[in-house]
Amino acid sequence: MSGNTFGKLFAVTNFGESHGPAIGCVIDGCPPGLELSEADIQPDLDRRKPGTSRHVTQRQEDDRVEILSGVYEGKTTGTALCLLIRNTDQRSKDYSEIGQKFRPGHADYTYFVKYGVRDWRGSGRASARETANRVAAGAIARKVVPNMRVRGALVQIGPHKIDRANWRWDEVDNNPFFCPDPKAVDVWAKFLDEVRKAGSSTGAVIEVVADGVPPGLGAPVYGKLDQDIASGLMSINAVKGVEIGAGFAAAAMSGQESADEMRNRPAGWPEFKSNNAGGILGGISTGQPIVARFAVKPTSSILTPRETVDKKGKNTEVSVKGRHDPCVGIRAVPIGEAMLAIVLADHYLRHRAQTGKG
Amino acid sequence: MSGNTFGKLFAVTNFGESHGPAIGCVIDGCPPGLELSEADIQPDLDRRKPGTSRHVTQRQEDDRVEILSGVYEGKTTGTALCLLIRNTDQRSKDYSEIGQKFRPGHADYTYFVKYGVRDWRGSGRASARETANRVAAGAIARKVVPNMRVRGALVQIGPHKIDRANWRWDEVDNNPFFCPDPKAVDVWAKFLDEVRKAGSSTGAVIEVVADGVPPGLGAPVYGKLDQDIASGLMSINAVKGVEIGAGFAAAAMSGQESADEMRNRPAGWPEFKSNNAGGILGGISTGQPIVARFAVKPTSSILTPRETVDKKGKNTEVSVKGRHDPCVGIRAVPIGEAMLAIVLADHYLRHRAQTGKG
Amino acid sequence: MSGNTFGKLFAVTNFGESHGPAIGCVIDGCPPGLELSEADIQPDLDRRKPGTSRHVTQRQEDDRVEILSGVYEGKTTGTALCLLIRNTDQRSKDYSEIGQKFRPGHADYTYFVKYGVRDWRGSGRASARETANRVAAGAIARKVVPNMRVRGALVQIGPHKIDRANWRWDEVDNNPFFCPDPKAVDVWAKFLDEVRKAGSSTGAVIEVVADGVPPGLGAPVYGKLDQDIASGLMSINAVKGVEIGAGFAAAAMSGQESADEMRNRPAGWPEFKSNNAGGILGGISTGQPIVARFAVKPTSSILTPRETVDKKGKNTEVSVKGRHDPCVGIRAVPIGEAMLAIVLADHYLRHRAQTGKG
Amino acid sequence: MSGNTFGKLFAVTNFGESHGPAIGCVIDGCPPGLELSEADIQPDLDRRKPGTSRHVTQRQEDDRVEILSGVYEGKTTGTALCLLIRNTDQRSKDYSEIGQKFRPGHADYTYFVKYGVRDWRGSGRASARETANRVAAGAIARKVVPNMRVRGALVQIGPHKIDRANWRWDEVDNNPFFCPDPKAVDVWAKFLDEVRKAGSSTGAVIEVVADGVPPGLGAPVYGKLDQDIASGLMSINAVKGVEIGAGFAAAAMSGQESADEMRNRPAGWPEFKSNNAGGILGGISTGQPIVARFAVKPTSSILTPRETVDKKGKNTEVSVKGRHDPCVGIRAVPIGEAMLAIVLADHYLRHRAQTGKG
């Protein structure tokens, strides 16, 4: 119920710092009888892992997950699952200079103000390293909702958006950017090389989509599905905006444009002629794909010197030499997928609790 | 812990349907000793009330709030507060046609699919009528954080954005739109008249700002302040997007542009040279103003006929003759303020719990 | 999540003071489609109501319940239910003397120390008046678990225990004590008359039993069914002890005596040769009847003068002339039943969430 | 929020099975700046550890705790603490026979019915092994409330109670039973030797006491301190009853006997002439010592054959040859202390949140 747990019935409790001995999470409420081993989790962790291309941080972490509890003879038992990931590359010396200075735009300042503690080793708890836990938990969440598939893609890097007409899901795994538009790949690669050479960084927008979500998930008025998706995505490091379906563009629409008309389908649920709702009406899933996007700001750890203050409040400058991603948004794709999967697993169980369906 | 409660320590439980006898909320965890009477709450309710101009619904509701518990001799006692608002204008006949049909873009479809119940009288629980409870609870939340001020404004209607250079807070109460830009008022009035005449509706974007928020509110990693703001704003009816500070625009920024540089201030906390962070870093408040925006879609209840299905799944058309807002975003301004205030009150208490500060 | 809500999925939020305008509760998470009207709730309220015999307080309260939300056309809609009970007999003058003094053994002292507020009118929030809300919520909880029946009886008043060999459930409603042993009734009546004449009060023990509870409800390790029953019963005013099955007597048993042996049953679940477990093993229901007992202390509001201090800390004496129950344990029977029913409804939904069963 | 987390603000999430690789817990909400290392936790673990005398199980577990997160330079950082305890003695072969049969009075039956999984290795999650996590978390909880001291003692084994007139706290650590009455030690030793030789087991009653608890902790009406103590103690394996202060004996008292009279004290809070309340009135601490007792049933794992059924429902007999405690109540003393400390730490933070005190 405190701040390191996410979800009500499929509840993930996250722990660990960037440069401590390990990170991990406890997953409570997982249904029994699901087939599960480390091999189900590792592929998602590998998609998030640093060091996979020149466009992401060169920190080397194996990110090997170990299941400590909750699985017996290859199946979940219904009891708490603990997943542990040991930290292996804890090169604290990279950070020695910034131990005394605050990076503008970085959480080290607010952590210090809040807690009076300065764990500067790779940002401690504020580091995005904890997002490995999210991805690991998400891999299990994906198994909770039958027939659900959660995918993600990068749709914008810096000012460069994809052309949605070119969208190809099978392209996403063919490039280092999770880019669904083959024509955008080279543009992005060139842009990111420039950013890196300039000692700068850039933002991005990620889209995550869940297919196969049954209608009825979510509940009024503070248990809305989109509310929890917003909460989950906004909780990811560096995220500054979240939207569902048409999102901010809906503000400029007319009532006719915005509302997704419905038509009878010979079998099963009605179909919709569009999906501006992003699969959610009144906080409850419609049966259409759930579509969400989130914006990631540029990392604040850049080579270019910036004005700041030190721990004593004196004016100074800071530049950061550590191994940082020029665009943290890239590795945010599997993280966003994981958070969406966790929210949907949680609501699937909540819906089943109240209605007996599912 | 179920879906109708918002907040952990300042916890608001919301109940009531549009056309039942009453709506209301219970506020749990409010500190004792705060001066409180109905007169503190009514002004905010009046700002949200329907029927105040031709640009909002003509439904007539007094929205008189009654405090049923938790106050003794003009002060909060620390026990649960119940606020009750009787429904007075329950003209169900306006809705008789739509009892059998689903409005495209409306929650009546998903409620029916989820619960198997069709309370079509003014949408029942899905109606935005419950947002009066939010505003009432928000009026109390504003008192919890000392020296905090929460304000809001409409910054976009349909395609028409304000010019931020013209922003004047004292203008907001001078027009029926909560518009901070005097030059936008006439444009919006004309646009809304056209929308209404066309039997259509339009979306909007609202900005809410909290001044006087101490640094340190919010916590890692799922107790982030922006996460809960996103949750609170996305839980408002018709909201499709939420952003903090620079928001989606941060995706296109460089690391130098995005990060707010810091400078020593002779007394007190450091100052920031900009506020792209919207007052939040790593999920924790910086001491700068908290700035959030949210997008509201056009209402789905429009006069223009739309393709849909009925309760039996048959194809049909529907148009809605009830008294609806052409732009629900207008009345969303005090609702957004209220949700922001509730989140901040909750985090103020959570911060005090863990650190003893505040 | 704060202190006035009980339950996770079937969640009851309780509000109201003894001498305010009304008390009530909000029930969140109730399944849709249950038949419900005030007539389903009133009988349980009438069983708890004051003034029904000379052995309970003569305060006159109609305790008429009004359903404000969550029901449409005679069925629950799945949205939040609000139940309201207006206070009608608010004779504050009875309490005027004790406004300045603390009653030994009464919560008015601790409320004052905690909150700095002295709402002395009938004890305000500390009054057992709020237990009407529990009974009302319990009447709905009883409908959630199919085929479940929850009953209660008084098994001890002061030093006088029933003879369990005489237990007859149908006797419980034939006397003013909810006494299942016909031979104990006269003893108790005489004893209570003496207590009342002496200006004193006495304690009691209540037993509550739920039949028809499916096996599997409850979960390790902090979601145990008996844990939540203990929580629910201990939350009732004046309760000082709770036990399950053999309870404290189990401490003196051998392993052979304590463990309930199991035998095959031709159809269905195995049967048990005894029920020392009270229907719960490892925090999970066995399918046997759930059996719990709780001890209620004598009310602290007695005519006999007692040493105490006043609000300024000065030594004084106090005696209480209000209309109080000589044995609050009597009216605690339907309250205990209600809390047991609420816990079981909550766990029924939690079990269904995780396992899909039920 | 699911079943493996205890506490609202000082929240302990517990994981791990008896014969898996490790057990552990995550502590969320701990205040920053508390001095903490493994050396603060180990002594409590050693008090609970098996194998310390002939009267407890001979299973050999080092129970070495490792702090994986939340501590930096010897102090808590305010972020989530993870404590890990590796299992070292996992002799599964002792359990081979009982893999197919259910022990009467044991949770292996209900786990199987609930989850459909039979993790028979040392009872898996149902094993009391997880209570090491409770003790570890309790060691940290003790540091949260300034000046608080939590102690416990065994007050009854089987039918043999201590003589409370002989109570000496410093005797508790001088014997293998946590017995405060020097004259009871030999009686208990002889009794337990007989029980063990008879292939049987016995129950016990434990008393836990917290001194130095400030008045004001706890809240109406479902946030009561005694309610959460009852919940915490009843959640311990094999506990069948919990009482506060006079407990069940209060049922037989008169109003005059039960209520603790108050007298002015020259400085500070008033004093009480007795403590039948166990330090709690209306669910809120009075400032007196908090006193609770709980009853532990005899372990169901005994050498004596018992009638039962197997996994297929067939009648059979079972006897258990594993290394089990003849009286699990002995090692329950530090566990009960830990749960009491956790509840008080949680309520200390909750009280500080709402009132700013503490």
Side-chain angles (χ1 to χ4, degrees):
Chain A
M1 236 169 282
S2 221
N4 292 288
T5 297
F6 187 81
K8 293 193 174 184
L9 293 183
F10 187 90
V12 181
T13 300
N14 181 318
F15 64 86
E17 285 90 37
S18 174
H19 287 64
I23 61 171
C25 63
V26 181
I27 297 162
D28 195 2
C30 185
L34 301 180
E35 294 196 2
L36 186 68
S37 74
E38 281 86 351
D40 295 301
I41 303 170
Q42 201 62 49
D44 276 344
L45 283 173
D46 291 345
R47 291 172 67 224
R48 178 205 159 278
K49 204 168 63 170
T52 53
S53 84
R54 74 178 185 276
H55 301 293
V56 297
T57 173
Q58 297 307 303
R59 176 173 171 154
Q60 296 298 326
E61 285 287 2
D62 267 351
D63 282 358
R64 306 307 304 179
V65 67
E66 181 185 8
I67 300 174
L68 291 183
S69 65
V71 173
Y72 180 63
E73 297 184 340
K75 291 194 176 170
T76 58
T77 61
T79 64
L81 291 143
C82 181
L83 309 181
L84 196 75
I85 303 171
R86 291 273 168 187
N87 291 325
T88 52
D89 183 10
Q90 307 163 19
R91 245 191 294 168
S92 290
K93 61 180 178 297
D94 286 344
Y95 298 95
S96 52
E97 179 193 346
I98 59 172
Q100 302 305 314
K101 299 175 181 178
F102 298 113
R103 275 166 283 180
H106 193 279
D108 54 10
Y109 173 67
T110 49
Y111 271 64
F112 181 68
V113 169
K114 182 179 187 75
Y115 293 125
V117 179
R118 184 79 178 91
D119 179 2
W120 51 269
R121 305 161 305 161
S123 314
R125 184 66 172 151
S127 164
R129 173 123 189 84
E130 61 85 2
T131 56
N133 295 328
R134 300 174 186 245
V135 171
I140 299 175
R142 291 171 195 262
K143 293 171 165 270
V144 171
V145 187
N147 307 314
M148 178 178 76
R149 181 175 54 175
V150 179
R151 294 180 289 183
L154 209 61
V155 297
Q156 180 182 340
I157 285 191
H160 304 288
K161 300 184 184 184
I162 62 159
D163 179 347
R164 300 184 73 89
N166 297 336
W167 191 298
R168 285 178 46 196
W169 275 114
D170 55 8
E171 174 66 22
V172 167
D173 294 330
N174 288 342
N175 61 72
F177 308 114
F178 301 100
C179 178
D181 173 4
K183 295 193 179 162
V185 173
D186 287 346
V187 180
W188 288 4
K190 193 175 160 217
F191 174 70
L192 275 185
D193 285 338
E194 289 165 4
V195 165
R196 204 172 53 249
K197 281 169 199 159
S200 185
S201 60
T202 187
V205 177
I206 294 96
E207 181 165 320
V208 285
V209 180
D211 299 296
V213 176
L217 307 198
V221 297
Y222 302 130
K224 287 178 173 155
L225 186 57
D226 36 2
Q227 166 183 10
D228 286 345
I229 292 170
S231 171
L233 296 178
M234 193 67 96
S235 78
I236 300 171
N237 304 42
V239 173
K240 300 305 284 185
V242 177
E243 58 183 14
I244 307 292
F248 276 87
M253 288 179 175
S254 71
Q256 296 95 301
E257 290 169 295
S258 166
D260 306 308
E261 291 182 299
M262 301 168 76
R263 293 282 84 186
N264 175 267
R265 186 150 38 185
W269 304 105
E271 65 183 335
F272 295 83
K273 294 170 71 178
S274 53
N275 190 12
N276 288 314
I280 303 174
L281 288 173
I284 299 172
S285 64
T286 62
Q288 284 201 286
I290 307 292
V291 181
R293 271 176 304 282
F294 57 102
V296 175
K297 70 174 184 180
T299 181
S300 53
S301 298
I302 53 178
L303 275 166
T304 307
R306 304 293 290 151
E307 292 189 346
T308 191
V309 297
D310 63 18
K311 274 176 67 177
K312 297 180 178 169
K314 288 193 181 160
N315 284 338
T316 182
E317 285 197 341
V318 68
S319 68
V320 184
K321 299 191 187 63
R323 300 150 297 161
H324 295 281
D325 292 277
C327 177
V328 288
I330 298 171
R331 290 169 54 212
V333 173
I335 305 168
E337 294 172 12
M339 294 310 294
L340 181 57
I342 291 168
V343 170
L344 288 164
D346 191 39
H347 275 278
Y348 176 79
L349 299 182
R350 287 156 74 173
H351 181 59
R352 184 159 75 179
Q354 195 184 14
T355 68
K357 296 175 194 170
Chain B
M1 232 167 282
S2 219
N4 292 287
T5 297
F6 187 81
K8 293 194 175 184
L9 293 182
F10 187 89
V12 180
T13 300
N14 183 318
F15 64 86
E17 284 89 38
S18 174
H19 286 64
I23 62 170
C25 62
V26 181
I27 297 162
D28 194 2
C30 186
L34 301 180
E35 294 196 2
L36 185 68
S37 75
E38 281 86 350
D40 295 301
I41 302 169
Q42 202 61 49
D44 276 345
L45 282 175
D46 291 345
R47 292 172 66 225
R48 176 204 160 278
K49 203 168 64 172
T52 54
S53 84
R54 74 178 185 277
H55 302 293
V56 296
T57 174
Q58 296 307 302
R59 176 173 170 153
Q60 296 299 324
E61 285 286 4
D62 269 351
D63 281 358
R64 307 307 304 180
V65 67
E66 181 186 8
I67 300 175
L68 290 184
S69 65
V71 173
Y72 180 63
E73 296 184 340
K75 292 194 175 169
T76 57
T77 61
T79 63
L81 292 142
C82 181
L83 309 181
L84 196 74
I85 303 171
R86 291 272 169 190
N87 290 327
T88 53
D89 184 9
Q90 308 162 18
R91 246 192 291 171
S92 291
K93 61 180 179 296
D94 287 345
Y95 298 95
S96 51
E97 180 194 344
I98 58 173
Q100 302 306 315
K101 300 175 181 177
F102 299 112
R103 277 166 282 180
H106 193 279
D108 53 10
Y109 174 67
T110 49
Y111 272 63
F112 180 69
V113 169
K114 181 179 187 75
Y115 293 126
V117 179
R118 183 81 177 87
D119 180 1
W120 52 268
R121 307 159 304 160
S123 315
R125 184 65 172 152
S127 164
R129 175 124 190 83
E130 60 83 5
T131 57
N133 295 329
R134 299 174 186 246
V135 171
I140 299 175
R142 290 171 194 264
K143 291 170 165 269
V144 171
V145 186
N147 307 314
M148 178 179 76
R149 181 175 53 174
V150 179
R151 295 180 289 186
L154 210 60
V155 297
Q156 179 181 342
I157 285 191
H160 304 287
K161 300 184 182 185
I162 63 159
D163 179 347
R164 300 185 73 90
N166 297 337
W167 192 296
R168 285 179 47 198
W169 275 113
D170 55 9
E171 175 63 21
V172 167
D173 294 330
N174 288 344
N175 61 73
F177 307 113
F178 302 101
C179 177
D181 173 2
K183 295 192 180 164
V185 173
D186 287 346
V187 180
W188 289 3
K190 195 177 157 216
F191 174 70
L192 275 185
D193 285 338
E194 289 166 2
V195 165
R196 204 171 53 250
K197 282 170 199 160
S200 184
S201 60
T202 188
V205 176
I206 294 97
E207 180 164 322
V208 286
V209 179
D211 299 296
V213 176
L217 307 197
V221 294
Y222 303 130
K224 287 179 174 155
L225 186 56
D226 36 2
Q227 167 184 11
D228 285 346
I229 292 171
S231 170
L233 296 177
M234 193 67 94
S235 77
I236 301 171
N237 304 42
V239 172
K240 300 304 284 184
V242 177
E243 57 183 14
I244 307 292
F248 276 87
M253 287 180 174
S254 71
Q256 295 95 302
E257 290 170 295
S258 166
D260 305 308
E261 292 183 298
M262 302 169 74
R263 293 283 82 184
N264 176 267
R265 186 147 43 184
W269 303 105
E271 66 182 336
F272 294 82
K273 294 171 73 176
S274 53
N275 190 13
N276 288 315
I280 303 173
L281 288 173
I284 300 172
S285 65
T286 63
Q288 286 202 287
I290 308 292
V291 181
R293 271 176 305 283
F294 58 103
V296 176
K297 71 174 183 179
T299 180
S300 54
S301 299
I302 54 178
L303 276 166
T304 307
R306 305 293 290 151
E307 292 189 345
T308 190
V309 296
D310 63 18
K311 274 176 67 175
K312 297 181 179 167
K314 288 193 182 162
N315 285 339
T316 181
E317 285 199 341
V318 69
S319 69
V320 184
K321 299 191 185 62
R323 301 149 296 162
H324 295 281
D325 292 278
C327 177
V328 288
I330 298 172
R331 291 167 56 211
V333 173
I335 304 168
E337 294 173 10
M339 293 311 294
L340 181 57
I342 290 168
V343 171
L344 288 164
D346 190 41
H347 276 279
Y348 176 79
L349 300 182
R350 287 156 74 173
H351 181 60
R352 183 159 76 180
Q354 195 185 13
T355 68
K357 298 175 191 167
Chain C
M1 234 168 282
S2 220
N4 292 288
T5 297
F6 187 81
K8 293 193 174 183
L9 293 183
F10 187 89
V12 181
T13 299
N14 182 317
F15 65 86
E17 285 89 39
S18 174
H19 287 63
I23 62 169
C25 62
V26 181
I27 297 162
D28 194 3
C30 186
L34 300 180
E35 294 196 1
L36 185 68
S37 76
E38 281 86 351
D40 294 301
I41 303 170
Q42 202 62 49
D44 276 344
L45 283 173
D46 291 345
R47 292 171 67 223
R48 176 206 161 277
K49 202 168 65 170
T52 53
S53 84
R54 73 179 186 276
H55 302 293
V56 296
T57 175
Q58 296 307 301
R59 175 171 172 156
Q60 296 297 327
E61 285 287 2
D62 267 352
D63 282 357
R64 305 307 303 179
V65 67
E66 181 185 8
I67 300 174
L68 291 182
S69 64
V71 173
Y72 180 64
E73 296 184 340
K75 292 195 176 170
T76 58
T77 61
T79 64
L81 291 142
C82 180
L83 309 180
L84 197 75
I85 302 171
R86 292 272 170 189
N87 291 326
T88 53
D89 183 10
Q90 308 162 19
R91 245 191 293 171
S92 291
K93 62 181 178 296
D94 286 345
Y95 298 95
S96 52
E97 180 194 344
I98 58 171
Q100 303 305 315
K101 300 175 181 176
F102 298 112
R103 276 166 281 181
H106 193 279
D108 54 9
Y109 173 67
T110 49
Y111 272 64
F112 180 69
V113 170
K114 182 179 186 76
Y115 293 125
V117 178
R118 184 80 178 88
D119 179 0
W120 52 269
R121 306 160 306 161
S123 315
R125 184 67 172 149
S127 164
R129 174 123 191 84
E130 60 83 4
T131 56
N133 295 329
R134 300 174 186 245
V135 172
I140 299 175
R142 291 172 195 263
K143 292 170 165 271
V144 171
V145 186
N147 306 315
M148 178 178 76
R149 180 175 56 174
V150 180
R151 293 180 290 184
L154 210 61
V155 296
Q156 180 181 342
I157 286 191
H160 304 288
K161 300 185 183 183
I162 63 159
D163 178 347
R164 300 185 73 90
N166 298 336
W167 192 296
R168 285 179 46 198
W169 275 115
D170 56 9
E171 174 64 21
V172 167
D173 294 330
N174 289 342
N175 62 73
F177 308 113
F178 301 101
C179 177
D181 172 4
K183 296 192 179 163
V185 174
D186 287 345
V187 180
W188 288 4
K190 195 178 159 215
F191 174 69
L192 275 185
D193 285 338
E194 289 166 2
V195 165
R196 203 170 55 249
K197 282 170 198 161
S200 185
S201 60
T202 189
V205 176
I206 294 96
E207 181 165 320
V208 285
V209 179
D211 299 296
V213 176
L217 307 198
V221 298
Y222 302 129
K224 287 178 173 153
L225 186 58
D226 37 1
Q227 166 183 12
D228 285 347
I229 291 170
S231 171
L233 296 177
M234 193 67 95
S235 78
I236 300 172
N237 304 44
V239 173
K240 300 304 283 184
V242 177
E243 58 183 14
I244 307 292
F248 276 87
M253 287 179 174
S254 70
Q256 294 95 304
E257 290 170 295
S258 166
D260 306 308
E261 291 182 298
M262 302 169 76
R263 294 281 83 186
N264 175 266
R265 189 150 37 188
W269 305 106
E271 67 183 335
F272 295 83
K273 294 171 73 177
S274 53
N275 190 12
N276 288 314
I280 303 173
L281 288 173
I284 300 172
S285 63
T286 62
Q288 285 203 286
I290 307 292
V291 181
R293 271 176 304 282
F294 58 101
V296 175
K297 70 175 184 178
T299 180
S300 54
S301 298
I302 55 177
L303 275 167
T304 307
R306 304 295 290 152
E307 292 189 346
T308 190
V309 298
D310 63 17
K311 274 176 66 176
K312 297 181 179 168
K314 286 193 182 163
N315 284 338
T316 182
E317 284 198 343
V318 69
S319 68
V320 184
K321 299 189 185 65
R323 300 150 297 161
H324 296 281
D325 292 278
C327 177
V328 288
I330 299 171
R331 291 168 56 212
V333 173
I335 305 167
E337 294 172 12
M339 294 311 294
L340 180 57
I342 291 168
V343 170
L344 288 165
D346 190 40
H347 275 277
Y348 177 80
L349 300 182
R350 287 156 73 173
H351 181 59
R352 185 160 73 181
Q354 194 184 14
T355 68
K357 297 176 192 167
Chain D
M1 232 168 281
S2 219
N4 292 288
T5 297
F6 187 81
K8 293 192 176 185
L9 293 182
F10 186 90
V12 181
T13 299
N14 182 318
F15 63 85
E17 284 90 37
S18 174
H19 287 64
I23 62 170
C25 63
V26 181
I27 297 162
D28 194 3
C30 185
L34 300 180
E35 294 195 2
L36 185 68
S37 74
E38 280 87 350
D40 294 301
I41 303 169
Q42 202 61 49
D44 276 346
L45 282 175
D46 291 345
R47 291 171 67 225
R48 177 205 159 278
K49 202 167 66 170
T52 55
S53 85
R54 74 177 185 276
H55 301 294
V56 296
T57 174
Q58 296 307 301
R59 176 172 170 154
Q60 296 299 325
E61 284 287 1
D62 267 351
D63 281 358
R64 306 307 304 179
V65 66
E66 181 186 7
I67 301 175
L68 291 183
S69 65
V71 173
Y72 180 64
E73 296 183 341
K75 292 192 176 171
T76 58
T77 61
T79 62
L81 291 141
C82 181
L83 309 180
L84 196 75
I85 303 172
R86 291 273 168 188
N87 291 325
T88 52
D89 183 9
Q90 307 163 19
R91 244 191 293 170
S92 291
K93 61 181 178 298
D94 286 345
Y95 298 94
S96 52
E97 178 193 344
I98 58 172
Q100 303 305 316
K101 300 174 181 178
F102 299 112
R103 275 167 282 181
H106 193 280
D108 54 10
Y109 173 67
T110 49
Y111 272 64
F112 180 69
V113 170
K114 182 179 186 75
Y115 293 125
V117 179
R118 183 81 178 87
D119 180 2
W120 51 269
R121 305 161 304 161
S123 314
R125 185 67 171 150
S127 164
R129 174 123 190 85
E130 61 83 5
T131 57
N133 295 329
R134 300 174 185 247
V135 171
I140 299 175
R142 290 171 194 263
K143 292 171 164 268
V144 171
V145 186
N147 307 314
M148 178 178 76
R149 181 175 54 174
V150 179
R151 294 181 289 184
L154 208 61
V155 297
Q156 180 182 341
I157 286 192
H160 304 288
K161 299 184 184 186
I162 63 159
D163 179 347
R164 300 185 72 90
N166 297 337
W167 192 295
R168 285 178 47 198
W169 275 115
D170 54 9
E171 174 65 21
V172 167
D173 295 330
N174 289 341
N175 61 72
F177 308 114
F178 302 100
C179 177
D181 173 4
K183 295 191 179 163
V185 174
D186 287 346
V187 180
W188 287 4
K190 194 176 158 217
F191 174 70
L192 276 185
D193 285 338
E194 289 165 3
V195 165
R196 203 171 54 249
K197 282 169 197 159
S200 184
S201 61
T202 188
V205 177
I206 294 97
E207 181 165 320
V208 286
V209 179
D211 299 296
V213 176
L217 307 198
V221 298
Y222 302 129
K224 287 179 173 154
L225 186 58
D226 37 1
Q227 167 184 10
D228 286 346
I229 293 171
S231 171
L233 296 178
M234 194 68 95
S235 78
I236 300 171
N237 303 42
V239 173
K240 299 305 284 185
V242 177
E243 57 183 14
I244 307 292
F248 275 86
M253 288 179 174
S254 71
Q256 296 96 303
E257 290 170 296
S258 165
D260 306 307
E261 292 182 298
M262 301 168 75
R263 294 282 82 187
N264 176 266
R265 186 148 41 184
W269 303 105
E271 65 182 336
F272 294 83
K273 294 170 71 176
S274 53
N275 190 14
N276 289 314
I280 303 173
L281 288 173
I284 300 172
S285 64
T286 62
Q288 284 200 286
I290 307 292
V291 180
R293 271 177 304 284
F294 58 102
V296 175
K297 71 174 184 180
T299 182
S300 54
S301 299
I302 54 178
L303 275 167
T304 307
R306 304 293 291 152
E307 290 189 346
T308 190
V309 297
D310 63 18
K311 275 176 69 176
K312 298 182 179 167
K314 288 194 182 162
N315 285 338
T316 181
E317 285 199 341
V318 70
S319 68
V320 184
K321 301 191 184 61
R323 299 150 296 162
H324 296 280
D325 292 277
C327 177
V328 288
I330 298 172
R331 291 168 54 212
V333 173
I335 304 167
E337 295 172 10
M339 293 312 293
L340 181 57
I342 291 168
V343 170
L344 289 164
D346 190 39
H347 276 277
Y348 177 79
L349 300 181
R350 287 156 73 172
H351 181 59
R352 184 159 76 180
Q354 194 185 16
T355 68
K357 297 174 191 168

